[in-house]
Amino acid sequence: MTSDPARLWAAAGVLGLWLILLAWIVWRARRKTAPVGPTGGDVVLIAHASQTGVGEALAEMTAQSLHDAGIAVRLIAFSTLDAETLKSARRALLIVATTGEGDAPDSAAGFVRRVMKDGPDLSGLSYGLLALGDRAYDQFCGFGRSIDHWLRAARAAPLFDPVEVDNGDAGAIRHWQHAVGQALGAAAGPDWTPPAYEVWRLTQRTLANPGSPGGEAWRLTLEPTGALPVWSAGDIAEIGPPGEPAPAAREYSVASIPSDGRVELLVRLMRHPDGRPGLASGWLTHDLPLGGEVPMRLRANRAFHGPAAATPMILIGNGTGLAGLRAHLKARAADPAQAG
Ligand SMILES: Cc1cc2nc3c(=O)[nH]c(=O)nc-3n(C[C@H](O)[C@H](O)[C@H](O)COP(=O)(O)O)c2cc1C
C-alpha cells in the first residue's frame, strides 16, 4: 500500500467519481419517471456540458430530485442550448465540466462559438452553477468559471455561489444538492453520497439571543470521541440528524478553530409553517441531551477560506451567519503574523 499523499488523493478522487456514478446507477434503477421534456408552467431548466459523463449523471440526479419534489424540470445538453432558451427560462441550473486545458467539453463547443460571443440580456434569469474540475490542472474549473463570468456580464443573477467540485469531491456535491434544494424550495431528499461521519459529543449548549424577536439561536460545543481533526476557518460541519431512512446531512459553519480543541456552532431553531421544530435544528437545540452523540464530519470549504495572512479582511454578517466570521477572527487573532 502506498503512503504517497498525491497517490492517495488521486485514489480518493477516483473513488469519489466512482461513488457518484454508482449513486447515479442506483438512482436510475429506482426512478419511476424520466423528467426530460418541458412540462409547461414554471419549469426549471437544467443544462449539462459533460465530456466523460459525470456532469450528465449529476444533471439527471438533480432533475430527478426536483421532479420528485414536485418541481417541473427541463433537462437538455449544452449542444441544444441557445440564448433564447436561457432568456425564456426564469431559473436555470448549469452543470459544466472542464476538459483539455481549461476548455469546454465538445458538446458545448457550439455554445461557446454561437452564444458566448454575444452579450445577450439575461437579466430575467437566476441560475445555479455546478462546475466540475480537477485541481491537478492549471485552469481549475476553467470552463465553469468562464460561464459564470459570462452569465454575470449578461446580468443573470446567481441563486447561490457557484459550487466547484475538485475531482469528484462528494462533500461539494452534497453542498450542491442542498443549495439547489434551498434555492428552489425543494424538501431535502436523501444524500446521493452520504458522508462518512465521526462520532462527536455535545458538551455545552447556551441560548445566544435570549429575548430576541428572531428565532432562538443556540451556541453549541462539540468534542470528538477520537482525535481532533484539523480544519480551517470557513470550513463546514456536516451533521447527520437521527431518522430512518437516514435524513440528508445538514450544513453549519464552524465558529471555532482547532486550537480551541472543540467545534463550536451557531444553530438557529427552524420552524415549519405549522410551528413544528425543524428535524435537525429541533434535535440539536432541544432534544439532544448534553453528552449525547452527534454524527459529524468536517468539510473543507475553500471558497470561504481567508486570503493570505498579510491581506486585511473586512467581515460583514449577521445572525447565525456570524459563525464562520467568528472562526476567521479567531484565526487572525491566534496568528501574530496576520495583519488585521
Ligand atoms: C483530458 C482531461 C482534461 C481535463 N482538463 C481539466 C482542466 O483543464 N481543468 C479542470 O479543472 N479539470 C479538468 N479535467 C477534469 C474534469 O473536468 C473532471 O474529471 C470532471 O469531473 C469531468 O466531468 P465530465 O465527466 O462531466 O466530463 C480534465 C479531465 C480530463 C480527462
Side-chain angles (χ1 to χ4, degrees), residues 160-281:
F160 44 82
D161 287 342
V163 179
E164 295 183 338
V165 181
D166 179 15
N167 203 9
D169 173 25
I173 289 167
R174 276 195 297 282
H175 181 63
W176 164 257
Q177 202 185 342
H178 297 177
V180 167
Q182 276 191 344
L184 301 183
D191 283 320
W192 299 333
T193 51
Y197 296 118
E198 279 140 17
V199 179
W200 294 65
R201 276 186 206 290
L202 179 68
T203 52
Q204 280 179 44
R205 179 169 54 206
T206 46
L207 184 60
N209 61 345
S212 164
E216 295 170 21
W218 290 81
R219 189 179 303 127
L220 270 55
T221 300
L222 297 128
E223 293 182 18
T225 56
L228 185 77
V230 175
W231 70 91
S232 301
D235 284 349
I236 299 276
E238 295 182 287
I239 290 186
E244 273 303 323
R250 304 303 202 266
E251 297 186 336
Y252 302 94
S253 293
V254 179
S256 56
I257 55 176
S259 58
D260 291 320
R262 57 187 184 264
V263 160
E264 293 172 12
L265 306 175
L266 276 177
V267 178
R268 171 93 58 198
L269 173 61
M270 306 304 288
R271 290 202 181 270
H272 295 280
D274 63 6
R276 277 179 304 123
L279 172 71
S281 65

Side-chain angles (χ1 to χ4, degrees), residues 137-158:
Y137 291 87
D138 286 344
Q139 308 284 324
F140 176 57
C141 289
F143 182 55
R145 288 178 180 179
S146 45
I147 287 278
D148 189 47
H149 291 152
W150 178 77
L151 285 166
R152 285 173 198 252
R155 299 179 43 227

Side-chain angles (χ1 to χ4, degrees), residues 17 20-21 49-58 95-103 105 131-143 165-168:
L17 290 171
I20 293 161
L21 284 171
S50 174
Q51 187 72 18
T52 55
V54 175
E56 185 173 352
L58 288 166
I95 297 165
V96 301
T98 294
T99 192
E101 289 299 331
D103 302 325
L132 304 178
D134 185 334
R135 285 188 191 276
Y137 291 87
D138 286 344
Q139 308 284 324
F140 176 57
C141 289
F143 182 55
V165 181
D166 179 15
N167 203 9

Side-chain angles (χ1 to χ4, degrees), residues 1-29:
M1 191 169 154
T2 179
S3 59
D4 176 355
R7 295 185 72 167
L8 287 173
W9 276 115
V14 170
L15 182 67
L17 290 171
W18 180 82
L19 281 173
I20 293 161
L21 284 171
L22 189 67
W24 173 65
I25 289 164
V26 172
W27 194 272
R28 268 205 127 167

